[in-house]
Amino acid sequence: MQSFSVTCEANGVVPGAILVACELTKLPDDGAAFFGGACDGRAVRVKRVRTADGRPLMLEDNFFDPERYQFLLESDLDGCSIFRLIEERCGLVPRNSDSCVLSMERADIELAGLLQVPENEPLFSVRGEYLDQYGNPMFLGIQHVVGKHYSFRL
């Protein structure tokens, strides 16, 4: 799995991140099974707007195990790569899982404001369960991507 930051750097643009929320919260309903009950129904939620050369391209909304990734609550997450931070701190690297789903959606008023697009702008939505390199649950992720400025290689 290639991180947003690495993808930007490979394409000659400067990656960025604007923190929207970092909090201890309730896991989404579909999250308990993924984490195997280990999180006691809670998660560290990190919600950020990802930018390339200052242009908003993606809203990432990720849910991490609160015991393993508690340090994210105290970390400066503006402008950094969370994957690099996790690798430096824990030695863990995310891998794709078989449960990633790509679909289309339209920007609601919140997404439109955060991504600086008109309301109802078509967006890619990527939902997935991501594992670390050892096959252990790492995070649940939902990315809302501005389609007109981003392409996927499959």
Side-chain angles (χ1 to χ4, degrees):
M1 176 176 171
Q2 191 172 51
S3 75
F4 180 85
S5 296
V6 169
T7 300
C8 284
E9 291 162 355
N11 286 289
V13 295
V14 177
I18 302 164
L19 186 63
V20 175
C22 183
E23 61 193 356
L24 189 61
T25 189
K26 183 180 179 283
L27 256 174
D29 291 337
D30 59 348
F34 173 64
F35 286 111
C39 297
D40 195 30
R42 299 174 309 131
V44 172
R45 181 184 194 185
V46 178
K47 187 174 182 178
R48 302 186 308 165
V49 173
R50 299 307 311 265
T51 63
D53 285 345
R55 173 189 284 174
L57 287 185
M58 173 190 307
L59 178 71
E60 63 181 15
D61 197 1
N62 296 327
F63 297 85
F64 296 88
D65 178 328
E67 291 180 24
R68 182 177 278 179
Y69 301 103
Q70 178 80 24
F71 68 92
L72 292 173
L73 293 169
E74 294 112 31
S75 299
D76 180 7
L77 302 177
D78 275 319
C80 78
S81 166
I82 288 180
F83 292 169
R84 284 185 189 143
L85 182 64
I86 290 172
E87 185 174 10
E88 290 168 2
R89 183 82 180 248
C90 306
L92 299 174
V93 179
R95 299 288 184 241
N96 278 338
S97 72
D98 293 337
S99 63
C100 290
V101 176
L102 174 66
S103 59
M104 294 298 295
E105 65 180 331
R106 296 214 174 255
D108 61 20
I109 207 158
E110 178 190 13
L111 286 170
L114 289 169
L115 294 172
Q116 299 176 13
V117 297
E119 193 173 348
N120 291 316
E121 174 84 12
L123 304 172
F124 289 116
S125 175
V126 182
R127 296 174 182 269
E129 299 172 342
Y130 300 88
L131 308 172
D132 64 24
Q133 71 267 36
Y134 305 111
N136 299 314
M138 189 171 199
F139 70 98
L140 292 172
I142 305 164
Q143 291 82 36
H144 308 276
V145 184
V146 179
K148 66 183 176 185
H149 299 303
Y150 198 88
S151 62
F152 291 91
R153 290 195 177 134
L154 303 174

Short mmCIF file of all heavy atoms in Angstrom, two decimals, residues 86-141:
data_model
loop_
_atom_site.label_atom_id
_atom_site.label_comp_id
_atom_site.label_asym_id
_atom_site.label_seq_id
_atom_site.Cartn_x
_atom_site.Cartn_y
_atom_site.Cartn_z
N ILE A 86 3.75 6.14 12.37
CA ILE A 86 3.50 4.81 12.93
C ILE A 86 4.70 3.90 12.69
O ILE A 86 5.10 3.15 13.58
CB ILE A 86 2.20 4.21 12.35
CG1 ILE A 86 0.99 4.97 12.89
CG2 ILE A 86 2.10 2.72 12.64
CD1 ILE A 86 -0.33 4.60 12.26
N GLU A 87 5.28 3.96 11.50
CA GLU A 87 6.44 3.12 11.23
C GLU A 87 7.61 3.49 12.15
O GLU A 87 8.27 2.61 12.71
CB GLU A 87 6.86 3.23 9.77
CG GLU A 87 7.99 2.28 9.42
CD GLU A 87 8.33 2.26 7.94
OE1 GLU A 87 7.84 3.13 7.19
OE2 GLU A 87 9.10 1.37 7.55
N GLU A 88 7.85 4.78 12.33
CA GLU A 88 8.94 5.22 13.22
C GLU A 88 8.68 4.82 14.66
O GLU A 88 9.60 4.41 15.37
CB GLU A 88 9.11 6.74 13.13
CG GLU A 88 9.67 7.22 11.81
CD GLU A 88 9.56 8.73 11.62
OE1 GLU A 88 9.10 9.44 12.55
OE2 GLU A 88 9.93 9.20 10.52
N ARG A 89 7.45 4.94 15.10
CA ARG A 89 7.11 4.71 16.50
C ARG A 89 6.92 3.23 16.83
O ARG A 89 7.34 2.77 17.88
CB ARG A 89 5.84 5.49 16.81
CG ARG A 89 5.36 5.44 18.22
CD ARG A 89 6.11 6.44 19.07
NE ARG A 89 5.64 6.39 20.43
CZ ARG A 89 4.97 7.34 21.03
NH1 ARG A 89 4.73 8.46 20.42
NH2 ARG A 89 4.58 7.19 22.27
N CYS A 90 6.29 2.48 15.90
CA CYS A 90 5.90 1.10 16.19
C CYS A 90 6.55 0.06 15.29
O CYS A 90 6.42 -1.14 15.55
CB CYS A 90 4.38 0.94 16.04
SG CYS A 90 3.39 2.07 17.00
N GLY A 91 7.18 0.50 14.19
CA GLY A 91 7.75 -0.45 13.24
C GLY A 91 6.70 -1.14 12.40
O GLY A 91 6.97 -2.19 11.81
N LEU A 92 5.49 -0.58 12.31
CA LEU A 92 4.41 -1.20 11.57
C LEU A 92 4.13 -0.46 10.28
O LEU A 92 4.23 0.77 10.22
CB LEU A 92 3.13 -1.23 12.43
CG LEU A 92 3.25 -2.02 13.73
CD1 LEU A 92 2.00 -1.86 14.57
CD2 LEU A 92 3.53 -3.49 13.45
N VAL A 93 3.77 -1.23 9.25
CA VAL A 93 3.52 -0.68 7.92
C VAL A 93 2.16 -1.21 7.45
O VAL A 93 1.90 -2.41 7.52
CB VAL A 93 4.62 -1.13 6.93
CG1 VAL A 93 4.35 -0.61 5.54
CG2 VAL A 93 5.99 -0.69 7.42
N PRO A 94 1.28 -0.32 6.95
CA PRO A 94 -0.03 -0.80 6.50
C PRO A 94 0.04 -1.57 5.19
O PRO A 94 0.89 -1.32 4.34
CB PRO A 94 -0.84 0.49 6.32
CG PRO A 94 0.18 1.52 6.04
CD PRO A 94 1.42 1.12 6.80
N ARG A 95 -0.86 -2.51 5.06
CA ARG A 95 -1.03 -3.29 3.83
C ARG A 95 -2.49 -3.24 3.45
O ARG A 95 -3.37 -3.15 4.30
CB ARG A 95 -0.63 -4.75 4.06
CG ARG A 95 0.81 -4.94 4.48
CD ARG A 95 1.74 -4.67 3.31
NE ARG A 95 3.12 -4.94 3.69
CZ ARG A 95 4.08 -4.05 3.70
NH1 ARG A 95 3.83 -2.81 3.37
NH2 ARG A 95 5.30 -4.38 4.04
N ASN A 96 -2.77 -3.32 2.17
CA ASN A 96 -4.16 -3.41 1.72
C ASN A 96 -4.77 -4.70 2.21
O ASN A 96 -4.07 -5.69 2.44
CB ASN A 96 -4.24 -3.39 0.19
CG ASN A 96 -4.17 -1.99 -0.37
OD1 ASN A 96 -4.46 -1.02 0.30
ND2 ASN A 96 -3.78 -1.89 -1.62
N SER A 97 -6.06 -4.68 2.35
CA SER A 97 -6.76 -5.92 2.66
C SER A 97 -7.70 -6.23 1.51
O SER A 97 -7.83 -5.45 0.57
CB SER A 97 -7.54 -5.77 3.97
OG SER A 97 -8.65 -4.94 3.79
N ASP A 98 -8.35 -7.35 1.59
CA ASP A 98 -9.28 -7.75 0.54
C ASP A 98 -10.63 -7.05 0.65
O ASP A 98 -11.49 -7.26 -0.18
CB ASP A 98 -9.51 -9.27 0.60
CG ASP A 98 -8.27 -10.06 0.24
OD1 ASP A 98 -7.39 -9.50 -0.45
OD2 ASP A 98 -8.17 -11.22 0.68
N SER A 99 -10.78 -6.23 1.66
CA SER A 99 -12.11 -5.65 1.89
C SER A 99 -12.20 -4.16 1.54
O SER A 99 -13.01 -3.46 2.12
CB SER A 99 -12.51 -5.86 3.35
OG SER A 99 -11.61 -5.16 4.18
N CYS A 100 -11.40 -3.69 0.61
CA CYS A 100 -11.50 -2.30 0.17
C CYS A 100 -12.58 -2.17 -0.89
O CYS A 100 -12.65 -2.96 -1.82
CB CYS A 100 -10.17 -1.80 -0.39
SG CYS A 100 -8.91 -1.60 0.87
N VAL A 101 -13.43 -1.14 -0.74
CA VAL A 101 -14.52 -0.91 -1.67
C VAL A 101 -14.41 0.51 -2.21
O VAL A 101 -14.34 1.47 -1.43
CB VAL A 101 -15.89 -1.11 -0.98
CG1 VAL A 101 -17.02 -0.77 -1.93
CG2 VAL A 101 -16.02 -2.53 -0.45
N LEU A 102 -14.38 0.64 -3.54
CA LEU A 102 -14.35 1.93 -4.20
C LEU A 102 -15.75 2.20 -4.76
O LEU A 102 -16.31 1.37 -5.46
CB LEU A 102 -13.33 1.92 -5.34
CG LEU A 102 -13.27 3.16 -6.23
CD1 LEU A 102 -12.78 4.36 -5.45
CD2 LEU A 102 -12.35 2.90 -7.43
N SER A 103 -16.29 3.35 -4.41
CA SER A 103 -17.61 3.73 -4.92
C SER A 103 -17.62 5.23 -5.20
O SER A 103 -16.63 5.91 -4.98
CB SER A 103 -18.71 3.34 -3.93
OG SER A 103 -18.49 3.96 -2.68
N MET A 104 -18.74 5.70 -5.70
CA MET A 104 -18.92 7.12 -5.98
C MET A 104 -19.94 7.69 -5.00
O MET A 104 -20.84 6.99 -4.56
CB MET A 104 -19.41 7.35 -7.41
CG MET A 104 -18.41 6.96 -8.48
SD MET A 104 -16.88 7.90 -8.45
CE MET A 104 -17.45 9.54 -8.83
N GLU A 105 -19.75 8.95 -4.67
CA GLU A 105 -20.70 9.66 -3.83
C GLU A 105 -20.72 11.12 -4.25
O GLU A 105 -19.92 11.53 -5.09
CB GLU A 105 -20.32 9.53 -2.36
CG GLU A 105 -19.00 10.22 -2.02
CD GLU A 105 -18.61 10.09 -0.55
OE1 GLU A 105 -19.48 9.98 0.31
OE2 GLU A 105 -17.41 10.11 -0.28
N ARG A 106 -21.61 11.88 -3.68
CA ARG A 106 -21.66 13.32 -3.95
C ARG A 106 -21.33 14.05 -2.66
O ARG A 106 -21.72 13.62 -1.57
CB ARG A 106 -23.02 13.72 -4.46
CG ARG A 106 -23.33 13.06 -5.80
CD ARG A 106 -24.14 13.97 -6.67
NE ARG A 106 -24.31 13.38 -7.99
CZ ARG A 106 -23.66 13.80 -9.05
NH1 ARG A 106 -22.81 14.79 -8.97
NH2 ARG A 106 -23.86 13.23 -10.23
N ALA A 107 -20.61 15.15 -2.78
CA ALA A 107 -20.19 15.92 -1.62
C ALA A 107 -21.40 16.53 -0.92
O ALA A 107 -22.17 17.25 -1.53
CB ALA A 107 -19.22 17.01 -2.03
N ASP A 108 -21.54 16.21 0.37
CA ASP A 108 -22.54 16.90 1.16
C ASP A 108 -21.97 18.26 1.57
O ASP A 108 -20.84 18.59 1.19
CB ASP A 108 -22.99 16.06 2.36
CG ASP A 108 -21.87 15.73 3.34
OD1 ASP A 108 -20.82 16.43 3.34
OD2 ASP A 108 -22.03 14.78 4.13
N ILE A 109 -22.68 19.00 2.34
CA ILE A 109 -22.26 20.35 2.68
C ILE A 109 -20.94 20.36 3.46
O ILE A 109 -20.08 21.21 3.25
CB ILE A 109 -23.38 21.12 3.41
CG1 ILE A 109 -23.25 22.61 3.18
CG2 ILE A 109 -23.44 20.82 4.86
CD1 ILE A 109 -24.54 23.36 3.39
N GLU A 110 -20.75 19.37 4.37
CA GLU A 110 -19.51 19.30 5.14
C GLU A 110 -18.32 18.96 4.24
O GLU A 110 -17.28 19.62 4.28
CB GLU A 110 -19.62 18.27 6.26
CG GLU A 110 -18.31 18.15 7.05
CD GLU A 110 -18.27 16.97 8.01
OE1 GLU A 110 -19.14 16.08 7.94
OE2 GLU A 110 -17.33 16.95 8.82
N LEU A 111 -18.46 17.92 3.43
CA LEU A 111 -17.37 17.52 2.53
C LEU A 111 -17.04 18.63 1.54
O LEU A 111 -15.87 18.90 1.26
CB LEU A 111 -17.73 16.24 1.77
CG LEU A 111 -17.67 14.94 2.58
CD1 LEU A 111 -18.29 13.80 1.78
CD2 LEU A 111 -16.25 14.63 2.96
N ALA A 112 -18.07 19.28 1.01
CA ALA A 112 -17.85 20.37 0.05
C ALA A 112 -17.02 21.48 0.70
O ALA A 112 -16.07 21.99 0.08
CB ALA A 112 -19.18 20.93 -0.44
N GLY A 113 -17.33 21.83 1.93
CA GLY A 113 -16.57 22.87 2.62
C GLY A 113 -15.14 22.47 2.89
O GLY A 113 -14.20 23.24 2.66
N LEU A 114 -14.94 21.25 3.37
CA LEU A 114 -13.58 20.79 3.70
C LEU A 114 -12.72 20.60 2.46
O LEU A 114 -11.52 20.88 2.49
CB LEU A 114 -13.66 19.48 4.50
CG LEU A 114 -14.19 19.61 5.93
CD1 LEU A 114 -14.47 18.22 6.51
CD2 LEU A 114 -13.22 20.38 6.81
N LEU A 115 -13.32 20.12 1.37
CA LEU A 115 -12.56 19.84 0.16
C LEU A 115 -12.58 20.99 -0.85
O LEU A 115 -11.97 20.90 -1.92
CB LEU A 115 -13.07 18.55 -0.50
CG LEU A 115 -12.84 17.29 0.33
CD1 LEU A 115 -13.56 16.10 -0.29
CD2 LEU A 115 -11.36 17.01 0.50
N GLN A 116 -13.27 22.06 -0.50
CA GLN A 116 -13.35 23.26 -1.35
C GLN A 116 -13.87 22.94 -2.75
O GLN A 116 -13.28 23.29 -3.77
CB GLN A 116 -12.00 23.99 -1.40
CG GLN A 116 -11.54 24.46 -0.04
CD GLN A 116 -10.17 25.11 -0.07
OE1 GLN A 116 -9.63 25.43 -1.11
NE2 GLN A 116 -9.60 25.29 1.12
N VAL A 117 -14.98 22.20 -2.77
CA VAL A 117 -15.67 21.85 -4.02
C VAL A 117 -17.13 22.23 -3.87
O VAL A 117 -17.62 22.42 -2.75
CB VAL A 117 -15.54 20.35 -4.36
CG1 VAL A 117 -14.09 19.95 -4.60
CG2 VAL A 117 -16.17 19.48 -3.29
N PRO A 118 -17.87 22.33 -4.98
CA PRO A 118 -19.30 22.62 -4.87
C PRO A 118 -20.05 21.46 -4.22
O PRO A 118 -19.65 20.30 -4.34
CB PRO A 118 -19.76 22.79 -6.32
CG PRO A 118 -18.52 22.93 -7.13
CD PRO A 118 -17.41 22.29 -6.37
N GLU A 119 -21.13 21.78 -3.54
CA GLU A 119 -21.99 20.74 -3.00
C GLU A 119 -22.46 19.87 -4.17
O GLU A 119 -22.68 20.36 -5.27
CB GLU A 119 -23.18 21.38 -2.29
CG GLU A 119 -23.96 20.42 -1.45
CD GLU A 119 -25.04 21.09 -0.61
OE1 GLU A 119 -25.04 22.34 -0.50
OE2 GLU A 119 -25.89 20.36 -0.09
N ASN A 120 -22.56 18.58 -3.96
CA ASN A 120 -22.94 17.56 -4.95
C ASN A 120 -21.82 17.22 -5.94
O ASN A 120 -22.05 16.47 -6.88
CB ASN A 120 -24.21 17.95 -5.72
CG ASN A 120 -25.42 17.89 -4.82
OD1 ASN A 120 -25.58 16.95 -4.06
ND2 ASN A 120 -26.26 18.91 -4.89
N GLU A 121 -20.62 17.74 -5.73
CA GLU A 121 -19.47 17.36 -6.57
C GLU A 121 -19.26 15.85 -6.46
O GLU A 121 -19.29 15.28 -5.38
CB GLU A 121 -18.22 18.09 -6.06
CG GLU A 121 -16.93 17.70 -6.74
CD GLU A 121 -16.71 18.46 -8.04
OE1 GLU A 121 -17.42 19.45 -8.31
OE2 GLU A 121 -15.82 18.04 -8.78
N PRO A 122 -19.04 15.16 -7.59
CA PRO A 122 -18.76 13.72 -7.52
C PRO A 122 -17.42 13.47 -6.82
O PRO A 122 -16.42 14.14 -7.09
CB PRO A 122 -18.68 13.30 -8.99
CG PRO A 122 -19.37 14.37 -9.75
CD PRO A 122 -19.15 15.64 -8.97
N LEU A 123 -17.44 12.51 -5.91
CA LEU A 123 -16.24 12.11 -5.16
C LEU A 123 -16.10 10.60 -5.21
O LEU A 123 -17.10 9.88 -5.24
CB LEU A 123 -16.35 12.53 -3.69
CG LEU A 123 -16.59 13.99 -3.36
CD1 LEU A 123 -16.86 14.15 -1.87
CD2 LEU A 123 -15.41 14.84 -3.79
N PHE A 124 -14.85 10.13 -5.21
CA PHE A 124 -14.61 8.72 -4.97
C PHE A 124 -14.72 8.50 -3.46
O PHE A 124 -14.32 9.35 -2.67
CB PHE A 124 -13.20 8.30 -5.40
CG PHE A 124 -12.97 8.27 -6.87
CD1 PHE A 124 -12.06 9.13 -7.46
CD2 PHE A 124 -13.63 7.36 -7.68
CE1 PHE A 124 -11.81 9.10 -8.82
CE2 PHE A 124 -13.39 7.32 -9.04
CZ PHE A 124 -12.49 8.20 -9.61
N SER A 125 -15.21 7.36 -3.08
CA SER A 125 -15.23 6.95 -1.68
C SER A 125 -14.53 5.60 -1.60
O SER A 125 -14.89 4.67 -2.31
CB SER A 125 -16.67 6.83 -1.19
OG SER A 125 -16.69 6.33 0.13
N VAL A 126 -13.50 5.54 -0.77
CA VAL A 126 -12.76 4.30 -0.59
C VAL A 126 -12.91 3.90 0.88
O VAL A 126 -12.52 4.64 1.78
CB VAL A 126 -11.26 4.46 -0.93
CG1 VAL A 126 -10.53 3.13 -0.77
CG2 VAL A 126 -11.07 5.02 -2.33
N ARG A 127 -13.50 2.74 1.10
CA ARG A 127 -13.68 2.22 2.45
C ARG A 127 -12.90 0.91 2.56
O ARG A 127 -13.01 0.06 1.67
CB ARG A 127 -15.15 1.95 2.75
CG ARG A 127 -15.99 3.20 2.73
CD ARG A 127 -17.47 2.89 2.89
NE ARG A 127 -18.24 4.11 2.82
CZ ARG A 127 -18.56 4.86 3.86
NH1 ARG A 127 -18.20 4.49 5.06
NH2 ARG A 127 -19.26 5.97 3.70
N GLY A 128 -12.15 0.79 3.63
CA GLY A 128 -11.38 -0.44 3.75
C GLY A 128 -10.94 -0.75 5.16
O GLY A 128 -10.93 0.11 6.04
N GLU A 129 -10.58 -2.00 5.33
CA GLU A 129 -9.98 -2.50 6.56
C GLU A 129 -8.53 -2.79 6.22
O GLU A 129 -8.23 -3.57 5.33
CB GLU A 129 -10.69 -3.77 7.01
CG GLU A 129 -12.15 -3.55 7.32
CD GLU A 129 -12.90 -4.85 7.59
OE1 GLU A 129 -12.38 -5.94 7.22
OE2 GLU A 129 -13.99 -4.78 8.16
N TYR A 130 -7.62 -2.14 6.93
CA TYR A 130 -6.21 -2.23 6.60
C TYR A 130 -5.46 -2.97 7.70
O TYR A 130 -5.68 -2.75 8.89
CB TYR A 130 -5.62 -0.84 6.39
CG TYR A 130 -6.32 -0.11 5.27
CD1 TYR A 130 -7.46 0.65 5.50
CD2 TYR A 130 -5.87 -0.22 3.96
CE1 TYR A 130 -8.12 1.30 4.46
CE2 TYR A 130 -6.52 0.42 2.92
CZ TYR A 130 -7.65 1.18 3.18
OH TYR A 130 -8.30 1.81 2.15
N LEU A 131 -4.57 -3.83 7.27
CA LEU A 131 -3.78 -4.67 8.16
C LEU A 131 -2.35 -4.17 8.19
O LEU A 131 -1.90 -3.49 7.27
CB LEU A 131 -3.82 -6.11 7.66
CG LEU A 131 -5.20 -6.71 7.39
CD1 LEU A 131 -5.07 -8.07 6.73
CD2 LEU A 131 -6.01 -6.79 8.67
N ASP A 132 -1.61 -4.56 9.23
CA ASP A 132 -0.18 -4.28 9.23
C ASP A 132 0.54 -5.41 8.48
O ASP A 132 -0.10 -6.35 7.98
CB ASP A 132 0.36 -4.07 10.65
CG ASP A 132 0.27 -5.31 11.54
OD1 ASP A 132 0.21 -6.46 11.02
OD2 ASP A 132 0.26 -5.13 12.77
N GLN A 133 1.86 -5.31 8.39
CA GLN A 133 2.62 -6.29 7.62
C GLN A 133 2.57 -7.70 8.22
O GLN A 133 2.93 -8.67 7.57
CB GLN A 133 4.07 -5.83 7.43
CG GLN A 133 4.94 -5.88 8.67
CD GLN A 133 4.97 -4.58 9.44
OE1 GLN A 133 3.98 -3.87 9.54
NE2 GLN A 133 6.13 -4.26 10.01
N TYR A 134 2.07 -7.83 9.45
CA TYR A 134 1.96 -9.14 10.09
C TYR A 134 0.55 -9.71 10.01
O TYR A 134 0.27 -10.77 10.57
CB TYR A 134 2.41 -9.05 11.56
CG TYR A 134 3.80 -8.49 11.70
CD1 TYR A 134 4.00 -7.23 12.25
CD2 TYR A 134 4.91 -9.20 11.26
CE1 TYR A 134 5.27 -6.70 12.36
CE2 TYR A 134 6.19 -8.68 11.36
CZ TYR A 134 6.36 -7.42 11.91
OH TYR A 134 7.61 -6.90 12.02
N GLY A 135 -0.34 -8.99 9.33
CA GLY A 135 -1.71 -9.45 9.18
C GLY A 135 -2.64 -9.07 10.32
O GLY A 135 -3.76 -9.55 10.40
N ASN A 136 -2.17 -8.19 11.22
CA ASN A 136 -3.00 -7.74 12.34
C ASN A 136 -3.79 -6.49 11.95
O ASN A 136 -3.30 -5.67 11.18
CB ASN A 136 -2.13 -7.43 13.56
CG ASN A 136 -1.37 -8.64 14.03
OD1 ASN A 136 -1.93 -9.72 14.16
ND2 ASN A 136 -0.09 -8.47 14.27
N PRO A 137 -5.00 -6.32 12.51
CA PRO A 137 -5.79 -5.13 12.20
C PRO A 137 -5.03 -3.86 12.55
O PRO A 137 -4.48 -3.74 13.64
CB PRO A 137 -7.03 -5.28 13.09
CG PRO A 137 -7.11 -6.73 13.41
CD PRO A 137 -5.69 -7.22 13.44
N MET A 138 -4.98 -2.91 11.60
CA MET A 138 -4.29 -1.65 11.83
C MET A 138 -5.29 -0.50 11.95
O MET A 138 -5.29 0.22 12.93
CB MET A 138 -3.29 -1.37 10.72
CG MET A 138 -2.38 -0.20 10.99
SD MET A 138 -1.07 -0.15 9.74
CE MET A 138 0.09 0.88 10.58
N PHE A 139 -6.13 -0.32 10.91
CA PHE A 139 -7.13 0.74 10.98
C PHE A 139 -8.26 0.50 9.99
O PHE A 139 -8.10 -0.20 9.00
CB PHE A 139 -6.51 2.13 10.76
CG PHE A 139 -6.03 2.40 9.36
CD1 PHE A 139 -6.81 3.11 8.46
CD2 PHE A 139 -4.77 1.98 8.94
CE1 PHE A 139 -6.37 3.38 7.17
CE2 PHE A 139 -4.31 2.24 7.66
CZ PHE A 139 -5.11 2.94 6.77
N LEU A 140 -9.38 1.10 10.31
CA LEU A 140 -10.51 1.20 9.38
C LEU A 140 -10.38 2.56 8.73
O LEU A 140 -10.14 3.56 9.43
CB LEU A 140 -11.84 1.15 10.12
CG LEU A 140 -12.23 -0.14 10.78
CD1 LEU A 140 -13.48 0.07 11.63
CD2 LEU A 140 -12.49 -1.20 9.74
N GLY A 141 -10.54 2.63 7.43
CA GLY A 141 -10.38 3.91 6.75
C GLY A 141 -11.49 4.21 5.77
O GLY A 141 -12.00 3.32 5.09
#
